[in-house]
Amino acid sequence: MAKPYPATTSTTTNKAMDKFVVVDPSGEDILSDITPDITPECSDHDSPDATDTEVVESQYHLDVSGIHKSFTSQMALPRASQESIDSIEHDHDRYRTYADDYVKFMNASPTTYHTITNFENRLIDAGFSRIKHNQRIQNLEPGKWYDIRDSLSIVAFIIGKQWTPAKGSLFVGTHVDAVSVKVNPRGPHTNTKDGYQRLAVAPYSSEFDHRYLNRDLGVAGSVLVRGSDNKVERRLIDSKRPIGTIPKLAEHFGDVADKPYNPQTKMVPIVGLGKQNWDDFISDLAGVQPKQVLVADLDLYDVQPAIIGGLDDSMIFSSALDDRLCSFAAIEALVEFSKQFSQEEIAEYDGFVGTYCANHEEIGSGSRTGAKSGQLRDIFESVAGSPAASAQLMANTIVISSDVTHAVNPNYSAVYLDGHKPTINTGPTIKIDSNMHVLSDSPGWLYAQTLVDQYTEGMELQVFHIRNDSRSGGTIGPIMSNSLRGINGARLIVDIGLPILAMHSIRSVCGVKDIAMGVDLFKAAFEHQAVNDIEF
């Protein structure tokens, strides 16, 4: 069994300084992207074969970010054979292993840069090779490939020698950005007021409000530096400790303490007493001199680690579940599916399947690393080889647009439609909307139901539609159908996600079983990619 994702992303060039530094090992200019220097690994996960059950008491041990926890779980189950008991234990073990891996991954991925870097190294470890999006692809050999842009978006895929454009493709599309607070990249970073050093920041996507008050905020992200050879390098940094907070005014001051805070004047992080220069601090984290730093793209993030909890250890508490949950499951599913292919087997394979993790969904996807960039379409056109073949490929393609959805909040059950109250640890959720903010239509519903009912075990398909007096969110699904840079004319685009509580909050909640369920769903889709495998 391989080792799981590391509990920290720290890869150091200076052990005494304990810094996380990623550079381009090939020495290429950063504008051609990088192959990062971290190599996380994940556990092997076998599919369970559970049948009958009985009361089982199992001992587990978890070590996450230095927190060692032992617990005993008891499941009330029908009596069955020892073989069935072993199967149930294995099933529970498998859910837990994926959950442990996910927690470690999240604690190693404070920003989109770290997330994509960890995904890239996971793929490299599984035998995937990189292609360059700024170079023409000709006669691509069958195998396992990926394309990355700016360490902010990634397309990974497997293509067989027997594949032709008429056979279409199956891709899972997700996004990897998350609601956050950005450090202002221009102008003076800090100022001093009443003896406190304050940091200039701006919200990313969501309202900059009370959710950020009194949080222990660390800083992480990408720093572009001028190397000794005069080339530009990207280095990822992570303070791994709080460097500031936005303090709430005490209630003793009256109504002013409870009024909405002005995001420009009142939501300003305090980062010290002015004894530490900001530029020196960032360059020190990057392991370079201040004069070598060209520009930084940094986020403030809640340093409280992701962790498994609940009285029965049934939940995962974490930041950035939207959406480093579905994206993690999609990458893991592709890696698990890829393990069956040797050189001989890829020569006999007639499929084309993959995962697309896009950036900037939370702010409209309109960037060169967002879903509107056409990154996946570019891959299709290059692989197909001609406009006619590309059109045929897209017409036979199924895209599962996967973004988290709203689990029912029992304290606000009345704001959900009856029958549209997804729960964690139950199964994926198909999202529907009469105005097509998500792209699940009748054929999509039948496809999703068939996929879950016939090709997965231990889960059920849930459904979510927003009430008429609430606002529907969006996904990359409609964008993927765009006629300019999307997969226009796709055979099917369907929105299926995993449910979470407290979406867009600093901390959210998903189920311990949800990660494995997501992996199983996407892997089943890859396994039954052929155009006529699932009739609908």
Side-chain angles (χ1 to χ4, degrees):
M1 180 175 287
K3 295 179 180 178
Y5 282 99
T8 174
T9 48
S10 178
T11 297
T12 63
T13 55
N14 183 338
K15 297 295 184 181
M17 300 172 75
D18 190 27
K19 296 177 182 62
F20 175 90
V21 180
V22 178
V23 297
D24 184 354
S26 67
E28 295 183 10
D29 189 283
I30 189 61
L31 298 181
S32 298
D33 290 326
I34 65 171
T35 301
D37 193 20
I38 11 178
T39 309
E41 300 173 327
C42 277
S43 303
D44 295 324
H45 308 284
D46 298 303
S47 298
D49 185 22
T51 53
D52 298 323
T53 60
E54 70 171 35
V55 174
V56 181
E57 187 166 273
S58 305
Q59 186 75 22
Y60 297 88
H61 299 275
L62 170 66
D63 192 346
V64 177
S65 299
I67 302 172
H68 183 270
K69 180 177 183 182
S70 298
F71 68 93
T72 300
S73 63
Q74 189 172 45
M75 300 173 286
L77 307 163
R79 297 195 63 81
S81 65
Q82 183 60 48
E83 181 180 354
S84 297
I85 294 172
D86 293 341
S87 182
I88 288 295
E89 288 179 334
H90 180 260
D91 189 26
H92 195 167
D93 228 7
R94 180 173 176 275
Y95 287 135
R96 184 61 188 231
T97 301
Y98 267 119
D100 288 348
D101 280 357
Y102 181 65
V103 164
K104 292 171 185 176
F105 164 79
M106 289 301 289
N107 289 331
S109 305
T111 72
T112 302
Y113 290 103
H114 293 81
T115 301
I116 292 295
T117 296
N118 279 321
F119 283 163
E120 181 179 17
N121 282 284
R122 179 71 171 123
L123 293 165
I124 292 171
D125 187 55
F128 285 72
S129 300
R130 184 181 176 187
I131 54 177
K132 295 292 186 69
H133 65 268
N134 57 354
Q135 298 176 3
R136 186 179 180 186
I137 302 173
Q138 288 183 302
N139 303 318
L140 185 68
E141 292 291 325
K144 300 182 283 187
W145 303 94
Y146 75 93
D147 169 51
I148 190 171
R149 291 189 179 179
D150 289 352
S151 293
L152 289 171
S153 64
I154 195 166
V155 176
F157 60 93
I158 304 167
I159 188 166
K161 189 173 183 179
Q162 304 303 317
W163 175 84
T164 63
K167 295 181 182 295
S169 71
L170 186 291
F171 271 76
V172 178
T174 71
H175 75 90
V176 289
D177 60 317
V179 170
S180 68
V181 174
K182 309 288 289 187
V183 176
N184 194 333
R186 295 291 186 270
H189 293 116
T190 62
N191 60 71
T192 301
K193 186 173 183 179
D194 295 330
Y196 290 102
Q197 187 177 6
R198 306 192 305 167
L199 183 65
V201 297
Y204 176 81
S205 176
S206 187
E207 294 293 328
F208 195 21
D209 55 23
H210 63 279
R211 289 169 290 184
Y212 289 90
L213 297 175
N214 305 327
R215 297 282 179 173
D216 296 340
L217 301 174
V219 63
S222 165
V223 181
L224 298 186
V225 304
R226 182 75 67 183
S228 57
D229 57 359
N230 211 35
K231 290 186 176 180
V232 178
E233 302 172 357
R234 170 174 287 120
R235 302 199 175 193
L236 302 189
I237 65 170
D238 182 0
S239 67
K240 304 176 194 161
R241 65 176 180 85
I243 57 94
T245 189
I246 304 173
K248 185 184 184 303
L249 186 65
E251 60 186 17
H252 307 80
F253 289 90
D255 291 345
V256 66
D258 295 320
K259 290 181 178 179
Y261 284 20
N262 183 297
Q264 181 64 35
T265 61
K266 301 297 188 288
M267 298 295 292
V268 185
I270 294 173
V271 294
L273 300 178
K275 298 179 180 180
Q276 171 70 62
N277 178 274
W278 176 259
D279 293 334
D280 290 345
F281 179 74
I282 295 303
S283 62
D284 188 48
L285 284 175
V288 298
Q289 296 299 314
K291 64 181 181 180
Q292 293 179 263
V293 175
L294 303 176
V295 66
D297 184 3
L298 305 175
D299 292 6
L300 295 187
Y301 72 98
D302 184 359
V303 299
Q304 183 178 353
I307 193 167
I308 293 172
L311 294 179
D312 52 359
D313 288 289
S314 60
M315 298 180 286
I316 295 176
F317 305 94
S318 178
S319 60
L321 292 182
D322 181 10
D323 194 339
R324 293 169 191 159
L325 176 60
C326 296
S327 55
F328 176 88
I331 290 289
E332 282 301 300
L334 188 65
V335 167
E336 289 297 313
F337 179 67
S338 74
K339 291 179 180 179
Q340 64 185 289
F341 294 112
S342 63
Q343 284 299 111
E344 294 76 15
E345 289 163 330
I346 203 74
E348 298 300 320
Y349 181 50
D350 66 351
F352 178 24
V353 300
T355 295
Y356 173 33
C357 299
N359 189 27
H360 291 148
E361 186 272 345
E362 296 291 358
I363 55 172
S365 299
S367 70
R368 64 192 184 91
T369 56
K372 291 181 181 178
S373 70
Q375 184 177 3
L376 181 57
R377 184 187 178 100
D378 290 343
I379 294 290
F380 278 20
E381 292 178 347
S382 296
V383 168
S386 72
S390 177
Q392 185 181 38
L393 165 58
M394 286 189 283
N396 288 300
T397 286
I398 293 174
V399 177
I400 298 176
S401 167
S402 189
D403 199 351
V404 294
T405 193
H406 300 286
V408 63
N409 183 329
N411 299 327
Y412 294 90
S413 183
V415 304
Y416 296 76
L417 286 173
D418 289 341
H420 295 254
K421 299 179 179 181
T423 55
I424 62 175
N425 290 327
T426 302
T429 300
I430 184 169
K431 295 186 279 188
I432 56 177
D433 183 86
S434 58
N435 293 299
M436 288 291 134
H437 292 103
V438 293
L439 285 193
S440 300
D441 52 16
S442 296
W445 181 298
L446 291 176
Y447 169 80
Q449 194 69 65
T450 303
L451 186 64
V452 171
D453 289 350
Q454 296 187 17
Y455 299 106
T456 68
E457 295 181 358
M459 69 178 80
E460 63 182 70
L461 183 66
Q462 305 184 89
V463 60
F464 180 78
H465 191 298
I466 201 76
R467 281 170 51 114
N468 293 338
D469 54 3
S470 298
R471 180 178 64 89
S472 176
T475 68
I476 68 169
I479 295 168
M480 296 306 295
S481 69
N482 183 278
S483 61
L484 297 178
R485 298 290 285 151
I487 312 302
N488 55 303
R491 182 171 186 241
L492 186 71
I493 299 178
V494 57
D495 271 284
I496 311 173
L498 298 171
I500 67 170
L501 286 164
M503 186 185 297
H504 284 194
S505 293
I506 305 302
R507 303 281 289 180
S508 299
V509 180
C510 69
V512 162
K513 295 182 179 181
D514 289 328
I515 296 88
M517 288 180 175
V519 172
D520 290 347
L521 175 74
F522 300 142
K523 186 179 177 184
F526 295 147
E527 290 171 342
H528 300 280
Q529 174 258 320
V531 172
N532 295 316
D533 260 12
I534 299 179
E535 295 292 347
F536 53 90

